[in-house]
């Protein structure tokens, strides 16, 4: 091994970094909830999630810009890449589906570790998912305007989380 640092961590190190960051996030959420209440924890969690997502998307798009005339398939693929940067496949699994000619598509999240951990820690009641803020941060960071709505949510008892996005002209 040389004395120069590697440009990027090895896959195992990357997974460990992601897990550590998410552990910090979970403990931070619990601390805010305990000290300041559930509403404050939800509000701050969403605000910070949007900031982090926007930052990661901005940095990623400097090397991999999304074209101004990008269609839904390209934008969805970029969002999937951003998800893989932020989460391990053991944490979150998502797939983009149902592309249409009007610039719309669905994203289905079939695995979400945060909800599993919140349930295990008996903190799921009152938790508000910051998914829309996360996705808004991604869209902003890659410079794409889109409408985005939650169609189904595991937090509300659905089998999956489903989002419907549509590119704005």
């Amino acid at each position: 091994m040389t004395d120069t640092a590697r440009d990027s961590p090895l896959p195992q190190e990357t997974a460990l970094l992601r897990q550590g960051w998410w552990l910090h996030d979970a403990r931070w959420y619990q601390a805010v909830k305990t000290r300041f209440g559930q509403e404050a924890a939800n509000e701050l969690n969403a605000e910070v999630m949007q900031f982090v997502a926007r930052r990661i998307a901005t940095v990623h798009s400097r090397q991999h810009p999304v074209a101004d005339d990008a269609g839904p398939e390209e934008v969805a693929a970029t969002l999937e890449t951003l998800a893989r940067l932020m989460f391990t496949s053991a944490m979150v699994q998502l797939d983009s589906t149902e592309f249409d000619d009007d610039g719309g598509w669905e994203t289905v999240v079939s695995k979400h570790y945060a909800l599993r951990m919140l349930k295990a820690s008996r903190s799921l009641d009152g938790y508000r998912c910051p998914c829309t803020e996360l996705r808004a941060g991604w869209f902003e960071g890659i410079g794409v305007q889109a409408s985005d709505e939650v169609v189904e949510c595991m937090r509300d008892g659905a089998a999956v989380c489903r989002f419907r996005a549509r590119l704005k002209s």
Side-chain angles (χ1 to χ4, degrees):
M1 183 175 225
T2 66
D3 290 335
T4 59
R6 292 186 299 266
D7 288 340
S8 61
L10 298 171
Q12 187 175 11
E13 292 168 329
T14 301
L16 182 61
L17 289 169
R18 286 182 193 131
Q19 289 170 352
W21 188 86
W22 286 109
L23 177 60
H24 170 272
D25 178 68
R27 297 297 299 164
W28 175 86
Y29 180 87
Q30 292 296 331
V32 172
K33 178 185 171 199
T34 299
R35 188 169 296 177
F36 303 107
Q38 185 86 56
E39 189 56 38
N42 285 331
E43 183 180 322
L44 293 171
N45 191 44
E47 182 180 316
V48 170
M49 186 64 71
Q50 186 165 357
F51 173 85
V52 170
R54 181 177 53 243
R55 178 71 177 143
I56 289 171
T58 299
V59 170
H60 175 75
S61 68
R62 287 181 188 144
Q63 292 184 13
H64 308 281
V66 175
D68 291 338
D69 62 348
E73 291 89 352
E74 182 181 345
V75 173
T78 300
L79 298 185
E80 289 181 24
T81 298
L82 293 169
R84 285 192 305 274
L85 288 171
M86 291 181 67
F87 310 99
T88 67
S89 60
M91 295 172 149
V92 172
Q93 181 163 355
L94 64 86
D95 297 293
S96 299
T97 62
E98 305 292 325
F99 294 95
D100 61 40
D101 294 334
D102 294 332
W105 74 97
E106 288 191 354
T107 301
V108 177
V109 178
S110 55
K111 183 190 297 186
H112 196 298
Y113 93 102
L115 295 177
R116 191 173 67 241
M117 294 298 105
L118 285 160
K119 184 176 181 181
S121 68
R122 297 185 178 111
S123 297
L124 193 55
D125 288 340
Y127 177 77
R128 186 176 64 82
C129 295
C131 296
T132 54
E133 290 85 0
L134 169 90
R135 290 169 58 87
W138 283 344
F139 283 120
E140 185 180 347
I142 64 173
V144 171
Q145 291 189 1
S147 62
D148 195 29
E149 66 177 323
V150 177
V151 177
E152 293 182 272
C153 180
M154 287 188 273
R155 168 65 186 88
D156 298 330
V160 297
C161 294
R162 186 179 312 274
F163 301 90
R164 180 82 184 147
R166 181 167 311 286
L167 298 176
K168 293 182 179 178
S169 304

